[in-house]
Amino acid sequence: MRLFSHRQRAAHLGPYPLERLQRSGESVPLDAIAPPPGLPEDCPAHSLAGATRSYLQVADELRDGEAATHRAPVPGDLLARANNIKGACYFLDATMVGICEVPGIAITDRASSVVRDDDFAIVILFEHTRDPVASEPGGAWLEGVQAYRAAARVGEIAVVIAEYLRQLGRTGRVHTITATDVNLHALVVAAGLGEAVGDGVEAPFIGAGFG
């Protein structure tokens, strides 16, 4: 439940008041952060999880693409660029967005990955909604779909933003729970969107319930 109004909030700030959180200047060790577990395989046959997985596969097929030959003019101010990207992600219903340099420890396959240490990552989170009750209309169809739904929505947003960057003449590669060259949980922490808690990562306001 959101207990504050964001009617007058700038688009790049998003629905949650992340700017009010206290920041630490200390570096966080990322090598002990485990990657997120894969999507559950034991969903009921009547669940929409199977169809959602197929939708996510479409996003994975579009994770790469050719950048435009000529670069479009963009602001020289890096903060203005970041705010533009964040605003676009929030317009597409992202829950939280952070941008950071890719730490080398987060690259999981250096031999074949095109990701470099000096690249930047746009980290997108999509929160889980409340778990449906089986007795509700359509509740049985939504059983076990939380992780799939969040992953599909993040993939959808990421594909749109990556293509936007390519049209500007920049490169963009999408990383999802089902197709990635990086430790997604490590990037969540590196981008300042979460902290390691036990075996997982939790984000402010929404806990571990995100994709």
Side-chain angles (χ1 to χ4, degrees), residues 5-20:
S5 171
H6 50 81
R7 180 190 302 179
Q8 304 298 328
R9 283 173 67 76
H12 68 271
L13 293 178
Y16 288 102
L18 299 178
E19 72 279 2
R20 300 181 188 176

Side-chain angles (χ1 to χ4, degrees), residues 93-129:
D93 288 335
T95 300
M96 295 181 185
V97 184
I99 299 176
C100 65
E101 287 190 77
V102 177
I105 195 68
I107 302 174
T108 56
D109 186 1
R110 286 186 172 275
S112 60
S113 176
V114 299
V115 181
R116 303 188 307 271
D117 295 17
D118 58 347
D119 285 341
F120 281 84
I122 302 167
V123 184
I124 303 168
L125 306 188
F126 198 89
E127 66 182 315
H128 293 177
T129 58

Side-chain angles (χ1 to χ4, degrees), residues 23-41:
R23 303 290 172 175
S24 171
E26 299 178 2
S27 60
V28 179
L30 302 176
D31 53 340
I33 298 177
L39 295 175
E41 300 286 349

Side-chain angles (χ1 to χ4, degrees), residues 53-76:
R53 179 182 284 276
S54 298
Y55 183 74
L56 184 55
Q57 289 173 348
V58 173
D60 291 340
E61 291 173 2
L62 299 172
R63 64 190 303 241
D64 279 316
E66 294 292 328
T69 304
H70 300 288
R71 287 195 166 190
V74 297

